[in-house]
Amino acid sequence: CMAGKGDVIVVDEGVGRNVLTGISLSRAEVRFYKHCDPNDCERVLRELSEGDWRNLNSNGFEPKRCFLVSEAVFGSTGNLAPLRSLCAMRTKYRCRFILDETHSFGLLGASGRGATEYFGVKSTEVDVICASLEGMASCCGFATGATGVISYQRLLGSGYCFSAAPPPYLATSVSTALASIRKLGKQRLDRLRIVTNQIRDGIQQIPDLKVCGSKAAPMMSVSLSASAVTSGEYKTRTILQMICHACQKEGLAISMFNNRPSIGFRPKGVEFPAAIRICASSKLSNKQVTFALSTLRTVTTRVLTNHKLTMTAATKMIQHPTPVISNMSGDIKEKVGGEAGAAAAAAAIAAAPLSSKPTLTKTVQVMDGSVEKNVTLYKTNRVISDDPGTEGLTVPVLMLVWAVLSLYKRFLQHESVITSRFVDRWLHILGLDRNSTSPSVQAFHCFTRVLGSHQSYSILLPVVFWCFGATSSAALPFIFYCMLCSAGCILKCVMSNGKNDTYSWPSITAMNAIGLPFFLLRYYFGQAWLYNAFTIYNLAIAIAGVMWVLVICLSSMQRGDSPSNVIGGLVAGSVGIHVMIQFFCEPTLSWLSGDNMNLACPPFLFGLAMLCFCPLPDRQFNFSLKMYQHLASHIAAMGAFMLGLRAIHPSATIMDASISNKVVVGTLGAILLFLFQLCARFIIRRALMSLLSMACDVVPSIRRYAVKTFETTEPILRSISYGFFVATAVPMVLNAILSQ
């Protein structure tokens, strides 16, 4: 708002993004002086002043307004501006001085008032002091100065300032932060200086690292010493980025300087050396400072050691190449010149085998940074066979399988798009429109949605288990449900199309809808039971099962599943019924009854295979992890259920033929399971949080993974407690209640 077209702005070369953006928008003439060089700044101001005096007698000439702009502590280097010299030049050359104290406000001076207090300069010697308040939990800033200057700025910038004013909660947070600074002023600043000196002295003792910037500023610029960087492909920035990433993985938050933009009017050729930004804080304890320095020392030593070993190996490979290359690579220099030819020759040397007798042929020029080396290449009479029959068949077979799978996934994706268009028409014919306002239609969709959900199965299946005596045979539906859901999660991971993965192929809801009722009918009534014993009662049961499947599938399509996904779920559920009856039922019953003591029970093997071979692709990784977590929860519940049933065989006293007794057993069991789960959830969450807190205190580097670990582990532990309670605790309490 202050400078405009026709004015001159004299700026330090090291200013950051905010200042560069402002001067680029001002449309004023910009003159840069060397970073933190008051002599060069005076040279620029003298040239401008002499130019004004030379043109003073010209007709219509008006002297240009001059603005001197600098940062107190430069965010791009950590250096402290020569404030006294700049204030003296402001008075000598009659220019406006604007000082950005973003990185010094609250940090320098006896009370934290910034660079002016630190240098003992009166605030009136600086025309405008401005700063960003991003470091105080806000996104706004401030500008202070003489009343006339600020009034001028307020007048010219009123439209923008009043339209972009900070919201009340940010203004309140800034006020609270300023109050805290005033309250803890000297104590906080003394601690900050101690921590800054500790970190600076500790970094200076780390080999191959040097600390730049002002000693008074808590922001330090750490770069590599000259002896640590050798010529080669590895640049200083690459090495420092590797150090930053490794430290972040260990729990130490450091980063590269990113306040060095190429935008604005920064002169060409002005580039600051790559460096790491490390900021001290008064909140850091001595233990945390020691941890930070030891981590930085360990990581720096490891990264630089690996870098030196890599460079040594590359140098040896170039100086002493493998005495074999193909005839083709011997002529690389003739066909490709310069560095490209050298790189191709090095690649040919690295790929050559260690056998065959060498023959000297060529000498090529390999560029290694700024050094040019003569490298002797060799060739051999070995002939590279182009016969595809000599290659292995593993990769082609895998590629063929992957191609078939990709084509099938694409087919399912297109089929889902096409068949989804029929859903609305089908629902309209049945009078079950998605957007219907009829209370009966909405109640139907709500009821079927609840009936086919995992929450309903988690209640209905335990009730079936308890009502039928908590025997081994009554446990099969629960085990089959867990296995069916696990298989559905695996199939969803494999067939994920990357767009709407929640409703991808197949539909687990459809798998459970057809699998559970018809498994019970097939297992308890036998194969072809309706054909062998055709009665009205059996026909009614079959019709009820079919209606159950239709209702659940319509509800699934109403939520967003396509018909192709539902059909896929029906097919997968039908296959699961046959597999369960043919291969799993008898061994599972034998293991649960105690006849077989071998832990290689088919459900356990199935669960182990699912956990070990669940595909986790690089794309849609979050969805695959979510499916893997669901899979692990179902496998954990099934394992705990089977182990609990095997360890504690409940008494059969809860078995009663009367329907009223079954209703009582189911109701009491559901209430007991709910209470047990509430207690288990409270205990698991408390215990898991305590364990993770202790682990983070012992190993601070794992703190960043604590939340994710809790979110992943807590549902699995609750699934284990759920399966164990269903098999043991609830039946035992029911036996104790009903036996009285």
Side-chain angles (χ1 to χ4, degrees):
C1 298
M2 302 189 66
K5 190 175 182 180
D7 299 331
V8 181
I9 302 178
V10 181
V11 191
D12 191 294
E13 290 179 348
V15 293
R17 186 184 303 274
N18 296 337
V19 177
L20 288 177
T21 303
I23 63 176
S24 65
L25 295 175
S26 67
R27 299 182 299 170
E29 179 186 351
V30 181
R31 300 286 297 272
F32 284 94
Y33 64 90
K34 294 181 181 180
H35 182 48
C36 290
D37 189 348
N39 296 327
D40 191 61
C41 178
E42 186 172 10
R43 177 189 61 80
V44 175
L45 292 173
R46 187 187 309 114
E47 292 177 357
L48 292 174
S49 178
E50 292 175 354
D52 288 342
W53 281 105
R54 283 195 301 267
N55 299 323
L56 187 60
N57 295 326
S58 301
N59 293 330
F61 173 77
E62 294 183 3
K64 297 180 179 179
R65 294 190 305 172
C66 184
F67 295 88
L68 178 60
V69 180
S70 177
E71 295 182 4
V73 175
F74 289 89
S76 56
T77 60
N79 292 327
L80 192 59
L83 190 59
R84 291 195 181 95
S85 301
L86 296 178
C87 291
M89 282 182 280
R90 163 191 173 268
T91 304
K92 181 177 180 180
Y93 294 99
R94 302 178 64 82
C95 57
R96 296 286 188 184
F97 184 23
I98 302 176
L99 183 65
D100 185 355
E101 295 221 44
T102 298
H103 302 289
S104 58
F105 178 69
L107 302 175
L108 296 182
S111 60
R113 296 179 181 271
T116 54
E117 186 179 30
Y118 176 78
F119 283 103
V121 175
K122 295 181 180 180
S123 59
T124 55
E125 297 184 37
V126 181
D127 294 285
V128 177
I129 298 177
C130 58
S132 171
L133 297 176
E134 294 179 358
M136 295 186 179
S138 181
C139 63
C140 50
F142 71 88
T144 61
T147 303
V149 175
I150 299 303
S151 299
Y152 175 78
Q153 183 186 17
R154 182 182 293 113
L155 177 64
L156 293 183
S158 59
Y160 174 77
C161 293
F162 288 112
S163 64
Y169 68 91
L170 289 181
T172 303
S173 67
V174 172
S175 300
T176 304
L178 292 175
S180 177
I181 291 176
R182 288 194 295 267
K183 181 179 180 181
L184 303 175
K186 189 175 186 305
Q187 178 183 357
R188 182 184 62 86
L189 290 173
D190 291 343
R191 177 59 187 169
L192 177 62
R193 296 186 183 99
I194 293 174
V195 173
T196 302
N197 294 331
Q198 288 178 347
I199 295 177
R200 182 178 294 273
D201 296 340
I203 295 175
Q204 289 176 346
Q205 297 176 4
I206 299 177
D208 299 325
L209 289 184
K210 63 177 181 180
V211 184
C212 305
S214 173
K215 294 183 178 180
M219 181 172 59
M220 288 158 272
S221 175
V222 180
S223 58
L224 296 177
S225 61
S227 60
V229 183
T230 58
S231 59
E233 295 183 3
Y234 280 89
K235 302 297 183 181
T236 304
R237 177 172 295 276
T238 304
I239 298 175
L240 293 177
Q241 286 177 346
M242 294 170 62
I243 293 175
C244 289
H245 294 162
C247 287
Q248 291 169 7
K249 292 181 180 179
E250 298 293 333
L252 178 61
I254 60 175
S255 63
M256 298 284 292
F257 273 93
N258 60 356
N259 196 24
R260 300 170 175 181
S262 58
I263 64 173
F265 299 95
R266 194 193 295 275
K268 294 183 179 180
V270 178
E271 293 184 1
F272 298 101
I276 298 175
R277 171 185 287 185
I278 296 180
C279 298
S281 173
S282 60
K283 294 293 185 180
L284 293 176
S285 62
N286 294 331
K287 182 179 179 181
Q288 291 173 326
V289 172
T290 303
F291 165 75
L293 293 175
S294 62
T295 302
L296 183 60
R297 175 186 292 272
T298 303
V299 168
T300 303
T301 303
R302 183 173 69 246
V303 171
L304 291 178
T305 301
N306 295 337
H307 163 65
K308 293 176 182 178
L309 291 176
T310 303
M311 295 302 301
T312 303
T315 304
K316 289 183 178 179
M317 185 179 68
I318 295 177
Q319 293 179 349
H320 306 287
T322 305
V324 174
I325 62 170
S326 63
N327 293 329
M328 189 187 335
S329 62
D331 298 329
I332 289 175
K333 185 60 179 179
E334 295 181 14
K335 297 181 180 179
V336 184
E339 293 188 44
I349 293 172
L354 297 177
S355 60
S356 297
K357 190 174 182 179
T359 305
L360 180 64
T361 61
K362 294 286 181 183
T363 300
V364 300
Q365 302 293 324
V366 177
M367 298 299 296
D368 187 12
S370 60
V371 182
E372 186 174 311
K373 296 183 179 180
N374 294 328
V375 179
T376 303
L377 300 180
Y378 298 84
K379 77 173 185 177
T380 179
N381 295 324
R382 179 174 64 91
V383 178
I384 300 177
S385 175
D386 295 331
D387 183 10
T390 60
E391 303 295 335
L393 294 177
T394 304
V395 173
V397 170
L398 292 177
M399 292 296 293
L400 179 62
V401 173
W402 180 255
V404 172
L405 183 60
S406 300
L407 289 175
Y408 186 60
K409 289 169 65 175
R410 187 176 302 177
F411 164 75
L412 288 176
Q413 181 179 350
H414 290 294
E415 187 185 17
S416 299
V417 174
I418 294 173
T419 55
S420 296
R421 301 170 183 172
F422 303 132
V423 174
D424 290 333
R425 182 62 178 172
W426 294 345
L427 293 175
H428 178 72
I429 292 174
L430 297 174
L432 301 173
D433 301 85
R434 297 188 188 188
N435 300 323
S436 176
T437 58
S438 173
S440 58
V441 175
Q442 294 180 355
F444 172 81
H445 288 312
C446 182
F447 176 73
T448 53
R449 189 177 306 169
V450 172
L451 204 59
S453 64
H454 291 285
Q455 290 79 7
S456 298
Y457 290 125
S458 65
I459 298 175
L460 292 176
L461 293 176
V463 168
V464 171
F465 171 68
W466 301 323
C467 291
F468 286 90
T471 59
S472 300
S473 299
L476 290 179
F478 185 89
I479 298 173
F480 178 60
Y481 165 74
C482 294
M483 295 173 60
L484 208 59
C485 292
S486 302
C489 293
I490 288 285
L491 292 175
K492 278 186 174 290
C493 289
V494 174
M495 305 307 297
S496 171
N497 56 28
K499 291 189 176 181
N500 192 3
D501 290 321
T502 304
Y503 298 114
S504 59
W505 192 95
S507 172
I508 300 180
T509 302
M511 292 175 63
N512 292 326
I514 194 172
L516 292 173
F518 285 95
F519 167 74
L520 291 172
L521 296 177
R522 281 284 308 276
Y523 180 75
Y524 289 106
F525 293 100
Q527 189 173 4
W529 58 275
L530 184 60
Y531 177 78
N532 296 329
F534 184 82
T535 62
I536 300 299
Y537 178 73
N538 290 343
L539 180 62
I541 293 177
I543 293 175
V546 173
M547 292 301 298
W548 168 277
V549 175
L550 290 176
V551 167
I552 299 300
C553 291
L554 284 174
S555 174
S556 180
M557 287 188 287
Q558 187 268 341
R559 292 199 310 270
D561 253 333
S562 66
S564 61
N565 295 343
V566 172
I567 294 173
L570 296 177
V571 173
S574 303
V575 173
I577 294 173
H578 293 281
V579 173
M580 181 69 181
I581 293 176
Q582 293 292 331
F583 302 104
F584 284 84
C585 286
E586 294 301 328
T588 303
L589 291 175
S590 176
W591 190 86
L592 291 175
S593 61
D595 298 336
N596 182 10
M597 301 298 293
N598 190 1
L599 288 178
C601 184
F604 288 129
L605 296 179
F606 174 83
L608 183 62
M610 293 294 102
L611 293 174
C612 294
F613 299 106
C614 179
L616 296 177
D618 54 350
R619 292 184 299 177
Q620 302 301 321
F621 193 68
N622 292 331
F623 170 76
S624 299
L625 283 180
K626 180 181 178 181
M627 288 293 103
Y628 188 83
Q629 182 177 352
H630 290 329
L631 182 151
S633 298
H634 288 297
I635 295 298
M638 182 187 70
F641 176 78
M642 294 181 62
L643 291 174
L645 186 60
R646 171 69 180 270
I648 304 174
H649 292 280
S651 175
T653 54
I654 62 174
M655 177 62 183
D656 196 316
S658 62
I659 297 178
S660 60
N661 192 71
K662 286 183 170 54
V663 173
V664 173
V665 168
T667 305
L668 289 177
I671 295 174
L672 290 173
L673 180 61
F674 175 74
L675 296 177
F676 285 148
Q677 281 293 91
L678 281 181
C679 297
R681 181 176 182 178
F682 176 79
I683 295 173
I684 289 172
R685 292 175 70 91
R686 290 286 183 177
L688 191 58
M689 286 190 292
S690 300
L691 289 176
L692 290 176
S693 300
M694 293 173 57
C696 291
D697 292 338
V698 176
V699 186
S701 59
I702 67 173
R703 191 179 302 276
R704 58 183 299 189
Y705 306 105
V707 176
K708 191 64 178 179
T709 302
F710 179 84
E711 294 176 351
T712 304
T713 309
E714 193 259 346
I716 297 177
L717 294 178
R718 285 198 288 114
S719 298
I720 294 175
S721 65
Y722 165 76
F724 187 77
F725 290 149
V726 170
T728 58
V730 175
M732 293 175 64
V733 175
L734 289 175
N735 286 328
I737 295 175
L738 297 178
S739 61
Q740 295 179 358

